[in-house]
Amino acid sequence: MFSGKIKPFLYLGIFYLIISLIIRIIFLLHPITTASFGFLEIIKVLSIGLLNDFFVFTIAGSLLAVYFLFLSDCKYNKPYGYIIFGALVLFFLYILLIPNNIFDQYGGSVTEIVLAFVGIKTIFFGLMLFIPSKRIKIRNTLYFITLLQYVLLIIFNAVSEYFFYNEFGVRYNFIAVDYLIYTNEVIGNVMESYPVVPLFSVILISTIAITLFIYKKTKNELLELPDFKQKMVLLGTFIVLFSLSLLGVSSLMQIRSDNVFADEIESNGLPKFYWAFTHNELDYFQFYPQISQQQAEKNFLSQYADPALLRNVVSEQPELKKNVVLISIESLSADFMDHYGGTKKMTPFLDSLADRSMMFTNLYATGNRTVRGLEALTLCIPPTAGESVIKRDDNKNKFTTGSVFRSKGYDVKFLYGGYSYFDNMEDFFSGNGYDIVDRNSFKPEEITFANVWGVADEDMAKKAIQTMNAEARSGKPFFNHWMTVSNHRPFTYPEGKIDIPGDAKSRDGGVKYTDYSLRKFFEMAKKQDWYKNTVFVIIADHCASSAGKTELPADKYRIPAMIFSEGFIQPQKFDKLMSQIDVMPTLFGLLNFSYQSKFLGQDVLKKEFQPKAYIATYQDLGFLKNGHLTIISPVKKVKQYALKLQPSSLAPEFKLYYDEKLIRNPDQKLVNDAVSAYQSTSFWLKHKKLNR
């Protein structure tokens, strides 16, 4: 009797462990997993993974344990059955009819979810109360539905983890949390990117088949329900296992090795998702190494000619009131372009533009998300732990590139082909004085093609020209920041524009179509009167993939960037190491702007510029300088790698970091430089010193 009640847990648990093992093996063999594994390391990864999965299933099994705990026939006896049924009916009516009930306070769909749950519970309880002859059949139906939900979640989670790893090279993280929040875009992206009907058909058929198998093997256990004493024994056993599992999951999440892929593959996505959901901001001063704040600020500010946070930038030349168009291109890795070592001829226009531009050959993105790129180009600050400033509550009235342009009399706009509420862009840009042109600004006849992320880049290019023409007629100079969207999964675009079909859903096609759209934009811009008085900054928001052998594979963060203006910017290559946060201060230097600055990026053309770059994920904060990568992480961990450079045979000036060798005794000066940069930035943000 006692052992029989374990059978549902046993069958579901074995099924979950088998599915998780298959996923781990797939991850080990996946092309994105560039690390190599020896036999013993594979055994270690699979063993720790097995422990993780056992603990996670035990925790997830708590709902099933509660379900079995409340299985009973005595609760239907008079008068208890009628009292319970009456209470359920009253509770249902309270939720349905009373405004501002306790569940309304939680907002969202909480009230509707609870109402549906209580309603279903009331209906089934009533059926089992008033039709006792059908009680076993109804109970079996509910049991089947319960098993079905568990099996469906196990299979669906496995499929989701595969696609997430396939895209990002990691288990669930902050991006997965974002995907849960922005369900419209994400569901639309899935619908447009993958063969949804066959995929979900397989999931559904597999779920029903496995549920039927487990149900047939275990349904007889519901014929004789456990008594109170047996339930207490089962409950006590489960509480012990549940407690040990919580402790086990927490302990295993602290294990980190030098092989990032091993860490990701042996972990379990569900606790990683929970951690990301509850830690969207990390308090630097709680989790990261520190030095005295005074020393940190002194170290960090020593790189500037005027070593202060608020600095006077003074030009000896007259200011140039040129229009500025900043184009941040979605997910454009450097090696997509021939000039950076690419071989697929995907960006013929951008490569031709690079020949006529100031081209930055050694520039690094601050992160691996669009919001990080926008943060770097707008705030010009190193990334900080947790979410981008763009997605934080305190994201308004900052010192921005837009505020500098506005102080010079410019019209300032943010242009985006999608709905700018996504990733909190609308809140951030409007809260910092930008006017917004997004999908809401389009008339139906202006859209020739759109997918879930927004209108095609070609349509946005036409809208941008229309917007800039209107600004030019006002007589004021303009600054427009355009964020492209087409180079994003599902990589769909209009047919007949490039030599890759628009429905091929190919990243190469997405890159090539974006390049085509930019060509069309410049062809239209060249016909406008304002063109010759305009400077164009073209830069990626981040690279296509940041998966690699270490926490922060340096080569994956390199992005293309150039500044172009006919008759103003002379073609040249700038080869020194620099950061995404340096681009706009450099542009202001080229325009001879005099202003009070709180930017933490530097004008790379000034003699005091110190070559360096900042690269980060949500947790790991990296500092590139002097051929070393220093990484600071929770909990107060420090790693340092020596980097080797290898020139590309196709583009000799493009030197790629191809090896990261862990240093056992880190260079303390570089560690202090890294800590000083991130500690100071975090402190200034926390105390609103980077506000206007």
Side-chain angles (χ1 to χ4, degrees):
M1 173 66 188
F2 181 87
S3 61
K5 301 310 170 200
I6 304 298
K7 286 179 72 175
F9 294 93
L10 186 63
Y11 277 95
L12 280 173
I14 290 173
F15 172 62
Y16 178 66
L17 295 179
I18 290 172
I19 290 293
S20 298
L21 175 63
I22 292 171
I23 286 293
R24 281 199 175 82
I25 293 172
I26 290 173
F27 288 169
L28 282 168
L29 301 175
H30 197 288
I32 206 171
T33 307
T34 54
S36 57
F37 294 86
F39 177 76
L40 291 179
E41 190 166 22
I42 291 174
I43 296 299
K44 170 182 169 290
V45 166
L46 296 181
S47 299
I48 294 178
L50 179 65
L51 269 178
N52 258 315
D53 297 336
F54 174 79
F55 292 146
V56 168
F57 179 77
T58 302
I59 295 169
S62 57
L63 293 176
L64 187 61
V66 170
Y67 171 79
F68 278 112
L69 184 65
F70 284 94
L71 285 179
S72 169
D73 280 327
C74 63
K75 63 187 176 185
Y76 300 106
N77 296 337
K78 297 180 181 179
Y80 305 114
Y82 296 97
I83 293 172
I84 294 172
F85 181 71
L88 285 171
V89 171
L90 289 174
F91 190 35
F92 178 81
L93 292 174
Y94 163 75
I95 301 169
L96 179 66
L97 301 176
I98 303 300
N100 300 317
N101 62 65
I102 189 172
F103 300 107
D104 285 337
Q105 299 176 17
Y106 293 94
S109 302
V110 172
T111 300
E112 289 79 5
I113 292 171
V114 175
L115 184 68
F117 177 80
V118 174
I120 292 170
K121 180 67 178 176
T122 303
I123 290 170
F124 277 101
F125 189 92
L127 290 172
M128 296 178 78
L129 174 66
F130 296 114
I131 315 177
S133 62
K134 301 292 185 180
R135 193 172 294 167
I136 292 177
K137 192 171 184 178
I138 295 170
R139 182 178 289 139
N140 283 344
T141 300
L142 289 173
Y143 176 57
F144 180 84
I145 293 172
T146 302
L147 289 178
L148 184 77
Q149 290 175 331
Y150 263 94
V151 173
L152 178 62
L153 285 173
I154 290 170
I155 294 176
F156 190 80
N157 176 68
V159 173
S160 299
E161 284 214 70
Y162 168 77
F163 284 119
F164 194 84
Y165 190 89
N166 187 61
E167 182 77 10
F168 300 105
V170 295
R171 296 274 191 170
Y172 296 144
N173 60 13
F174 281 91
I175 302 173
V177 176
D178 286 348
Y179 280 9
L180 182 67
I181 294 170
Y182 299 106
T183 51
N184 180 58
E185 283 79 2
V186 174
I187 292 173
N189 187 26
V190 171
M191 297 289 287
E192 294 177 5
S193 299
Y194 303 106
V196 174
V197 173
L199 179 63
F200 277 86
S201 298
V202 171
I203 291 174
L204 184 60
I205 292 169
S206 301
T207 298
I208 293 173
I210 293 165
T211 303
L212 282 170
F213 174 79
I214 297 175
Y215 172 74
K216 289 178 180 178
K217 292 290 184 180
T218 60
K219 68 175 182 176
N220 289 337
E221 309 308 324
L222 273 67
L223 295 176
E224 185 179 352
L225 300 178
D227 57 28
F228 180 78
K229 181 179 179 181
Q230 291 170 330
K231 285 183 178 181
M232 290 302 100
V233 172
L234 288 168
L235 179 62
T237 304
F238 186 80
I239 289 174
V240 172
L241 287 173
F242 184 88
S243 302
L244 291 174
S245 296
L246 281 178
L247 182 62
V249 166
S250 177
S251 300
L252 289 175
M253 285 188 71
Q254 304 302 317
I255 297 176
R256 297 185 73 178
S257 67
D258 294 337
N259 188 331
V260 173
F261 281 113
D263 293 341
E264 291 294 333
I265 295 171
E266 69 190 20
S267 64
N268 186 290
L270 294 177
K272 284 175 68 69
F273 181 90
Y274 175 79
W275 192 95
F277 187 81
T278 55
H279 293 78
N280 66 332
E281 281 191 47
L282 289 173
D283 184 350
Y284 181 93
F285 299 93
Q286 179 180 355
F287 292 103
Y288 290 85
Q290 299 171 55
I291 57 178
S292 76
Q293 186 59 33
Q294 183 179 7
Q295 187 60 48
E297 293 187 19
K298 182 180 178 181
N299 288 349
F300 185 72
L301 294 172
S302 66
Q303 65 187 296
Y304 306 109
D306 179 10
L309 177 57
L310 181 61
R311 304 178 303 282
N312 288 312
V313 177
V314 180
S315 174
E316 297 177 356
Q317 303 295 323
E319 290 188 349
L320 302 171
K321 290 294 182 67
K322 290 182 175 291
N323 306 308
V324 175
V325 178
L326 167 60
I327 305 174
S328 44
I329 304 175
E330 173 69 44
S331 306
L332 190 72
S333 293
D335 57 9
F336 288 163
M337 291 180 60
D338 290 1
H339 276 63
Y340 293 87
T343 60
K344 295 184 177 181
K345 309 295 181 185
M346 289 188 289
T347 58
F349 174 70
L350 285 175
D351 279 305
S352 70
L353 197 66
D355 289 329
R356 298 176 285 148
S357 303
M358 177 183 290
M359 176 183 166
F360 302 102
T361 67
N362 202 12
L363 186 148
Y364 288 78
T366 57
N368 52 15
R369 293 293 315 284
T370 293
V371 284
R372 278 298 186 202
L374 295 177
E375 174 190 83
L377 294 168
T378 305
L379 302 179
C380 305
I381 61 173
T384 50
E387 277 287 12
S388 161
V389 173
I390 289 175
K391 301 190 70 175
R392 299 181 188 180
D393 293 334
D394 180 25
N395 66 356
K396 300 174 181 64
N397 300 311
K398 302 298 183 186
F399 184 81
T400 66
T401 52
S403 65
V404 173
F405 280 115
R406 275 202 322 278
S407 72
K408 303 294 182 182
Y410 281 65
D411 276 335
V412 175
K413 288 185 173 65
F414 176 66
L415 285 64
Y416 179 65
Y419 295 110
S420 58
Y421 73 82
F422 182 76
D423 264 350
N424 214 40
M425 290 184 284
E426 181 179 22
D427 184 60
F428 171 76
F429 282 105
S430 62
N432 284 286
Y434 287 70
D435 294 326
I436 294 177
V437 177
D438 67 358
R439 187 166 179 173
N440 290 314
S441 308
F442 282 77
K443 299 174 183 176
E445 63 269 20
E446 293 177 322
I447 302 175
T448 63
F449 183 91
N451 61 24
V452 68
W453 293 111
V455 303
D457 284 346
E458 193 178 359
D459 289 340
M460 189 68 242
K462 294 174 184 175
K463 191 69 172 180
I465 295 294
Q466 182 187 109
T467 301
M468 294 167 197
N469 284 343
E471 290 172 315
R473 286 193 293 271
S474 74
K476 295 172 65 176
F478 58 79
F479 167 60
N480 289 171
H481 184 169
W482 170 20
M483 179 69 224
T484 74
V485 300
S486 290
N487 184 31
H488 193 297
R489 193 177 298 280
F491 307 117
T492 54
Y493 42 84
E495 288 290 350
K497 303 296 183 177
I498 60 173
D499 58 2
I500 300 175
D503 59 356
K505 300 180 180 179
S506 151
R507 182 181 289 280
D508 289 1
V511 173
K512 204 165 190 177
Y513 175 71
T514 295
D515 183 77
Y516 166 87
S517 300
L518 292 175
R519 179 191 295 277
K520 291 300 179 183
F521 170 75
F522 275 89
E523 287 175 355
M524 290 184 287
K526 199 167 185 177
K527 297 175 183 177
Q528 313 307 319
D529 292 337
W530 46 261
Y531 173 77
K532 290 184 178 179
N533 192 44
T534 302
V535 180
F536 301 89
V537 182
I538 301 97
I539 184 171
D541 64 338
H542 58 88
C543 54
S545 173
S546 59
K549 297 179 182 178
T550 59
E551 300 94 326
L552 297 170
D555 58 304
K556 297 297 181 68
Y557 282 79
R558 194 187 302 249
I559 56 173
M562 64 192 80
I563 299 177
F564 169 77
S565 181
E566 282 191 28
F568 174 53
I569 300 296
Q570 296 302 310
Q572 57 189 288
K573 291 178 180 176
F574 185 85
D575 296 331
K576 292 182 181 178
L577 173 66
M578 63 181 289
S579 173
Q580 202 172 19
I581 73 173
D582 298 321
V583 172
M584 295 308 287
T586 301
L587 174 73
F588 291 141
L590 290 168
L591 295 175
N592 300 326
F593 276 11
S594 294
Y595 61 104
Q596 283 195 314
S597 176
K598 288 187 178 180
F599 294 137
L600 305 183
Q602 287 184 280
D603 181 347
V604 301
L605 303 178
K606 298 293 186 184
K607 62 181 180 181
E608 62 267 16
F609 171 67
Q610 297 180 12
K612 64 192 172 305
Y614 307 95
I615 61 177
T617 61
Y618 291 99
Q619 297 182 59
D620 299 311
L621 307 176
F623 180 70
L624 276 167
K625 189 176 182 181
N626 297 342
H628 290 75
L629 170 60
T630 305
I631 301 175
I632 56 176
S633 311
V635 180
K636 302 185 186 301
K637 294 179 181 178
V638 176
K639 283 185 180 181
Q640 194 171 87
Y641 295 91
L643 306 177
K644 292 183 181 179
L645 283 170
Q646 175 178 299
S648 165
S649 59
L650 296 171
E653 74 282 358
F654 180 70
K655 297 183 176 68
L656 185 69
Y657 287 125
Y658 74 96
D659 189 28
E660 297 181 2
K661 183 178 180 182
L662 185 64
I663 298 173
R664 298 302 174 187
N665 297 303
D667 182 325
Q668 194 58 44
K669 172 68 167 60
L670 292 175
V671 172
N672 287 343
D673 285 348
V675 171
S676 296
Y678 288 114
Q679 180 177 327
S680 298
T681 304
S682 300
F683 180 85
W684 291 329
L685 280 171
K686 185 175 183 179
H687 295 276
K688 301 185 179 181
K689 293 182 179 290
L690 294 176
N691 287 18
R692 292 199 297 271

